[in-house]
Amino acid sequence: MGVNIGGWLVLEPWITPSIFQQFPGHTVVDEWTLCEIYPDQAPGILKKHWDSWVSLADFQKIAENGFNLVRIPIGYWAYQKFDDPYIKGAAPYIDLAIGWARQTGLKVLIDLHGGPGSQNGYDNSGHNGTIGWSASGNSVADTRVVIQQIAAQYAQPSYQDVVVGIELLNEPLASKLAGGTDAVVQYYKGGYGDVRNISDTPVVVHDAFQQGTFWDGVLTTPDAQGVIIDHHEYQVFTEELIALSPEEHVLRVCTNSGTYAANVNHWVIVGEWSAAMTDCAAALNGYGVGSRWEGSYFGNKGATGRSCGDINFVESWNLTIVEQTKRYIEAQLDVYTQQTKGFIFWNFKTEASAEWDLFRLLDHPEKIFPNLKGRMMSSVCS
């Protein structure tokens, strides 16, 4: 039962839009362009952000609400630079977070969120628009260098009381990568070996947007031990999903787990999920990009008659939206508890995106997100 500490050591414009809004136009759209266009300002902006976005009090709040794990995304450039404009300096904050986790009884999953060349072309990889991870030069080998560095420090037995996993790469978009799933699988096998050269710390691999059964026979016993598949379950990033009613969103939660968790010869976790039934969070689809909900996304045919309105402001939600969101969350908590080995909400907080903001959902008078301590299963999927 975990929560992601997103938008901290890898910037995402929809999580902290204030960092991006200080620049004219839409020139700064990710961490790469911040560092490339404003190399003199970027170090100070990043240092201020790293020092302030997360605190011990946040970890205490997470633990007090029944969570037992934090997943911490970090980019490769925190450890190594490979002909890129990024600013180093984020790596020591992993140590800070591990210290907070020890103080609060939380476990830590270290997640390599951005690989050299970008493994998906999303801003959450550090570089929006390009997908060159398995196509350019030594990018895959360079990624393993970073994993070796992470493992050499955090897979040591002295860290196993708190670091319960190392994730080799977040969301490699196999369908768009040179070499496709073969490239991803080969990298995973190499990265698994890099961690195993140090210890038996669990190795987490994202499913590369493949169905769960694809991973049968990949890094399974007797060739591998302690491998966990990470699936991300969102219902807002296609026209078909965004058109679902709240009731249909819940029904999909209740009936869809077989595609990622059934008959899989691995432990499966849902390493990212949210309360979002819209894509209204500003810059969720990219900085300066509109939403499918309102019909302003790339390729949309025009206004849908729906408005994002107050969706990003939880204090403005009416009772209907509150109850619909509670049911959506409860359904997910039930299914992920019953059908997987764990779940990690995205995200612990945002500047202004309520559907993705655990703290705002917890703090709402109606307790939209429940305290997980002693939580009983609901009847939403019954």
Side-chain angles (χ1 to χ4, degrees), residues 13 17 20-23 25-29 123 128 283 285-289:
F20 297 82
Q21 290 165 351
Q22 62 188 297
F23 301 105
H26 295 132
T27 54
V28 176
V29 299
D123 53 26
N128 184 48
N285 296 307
Y287 192 63
V289 178

Side-chain angles (χ1 to χ4, degrees), residues 294-315:
E294 291 187 327
S296 54
Y297 183 69
F298 294 133
N300 281 169
K301 296 179 180 179
T304 60
R306 300 176 302 208
S307 171
C308 285
D310 293 331
I311 287 174
N312 288 324
F313 305 98
V314 70
E315 63 274 7

Side-chain angles (χ1 to χ4, degrees), residues 204-277:
V204 181
V205 297
H206 182 263
D207 64 14
F209 303 99
Q210 306 301 303
Q211 290 206 346
T213 52
F214 173 86
W215 297 99
D216 286 355
V218 178
L219 289 172
T220 51
T221 55
D223 299 319
Q225 304 277 347
V227 176
I228 299 169
I229 303 296
D230 174 18
H231 172 75
H232 297 173
E233 184 71 359
Y234 295 129
Q235 295 190 21
V236 296
F237 292 117
T238 69
E239 294 295 335
E240 294 74 22
L241 291 173
I242 211 72
L244 298 178
S245 67
E247 295 76 16
E248 289 170 329
H249 279 293
V250 169
L251 179 62
R252 182 177 174 85
V253 170
C254 298
T255 59
N256 192 51
S257 65
T259 65
Y260 57 86
N263 302 312
V264 181
N265 194 20
H266 287 285
W267 278 19
V268 176
I269 63 170
V270 177
E272 293 185 21
W273 62 284
S274 80
M277 291 181 278

Side-chain angles (χ1 to χ4, degrees), residues 16 22 28 31 48 59 85 97 105 122 149 172 175 219 221 232 267-268 275 294 300 362 365 367 371:
T16 54
Q22 62 188 297
V28 176
E31 194 160 334
K48 180 180 178 181
F59 277 49
Y122 304 149
Q149 189 170 345
S175 63
L219 289 172
T221 55
H232 297 173
W267 278 19
V268 176
E294 291 187 327
N300 281 169
L362 285 168
K367 302 297 181 186
N371 189 315

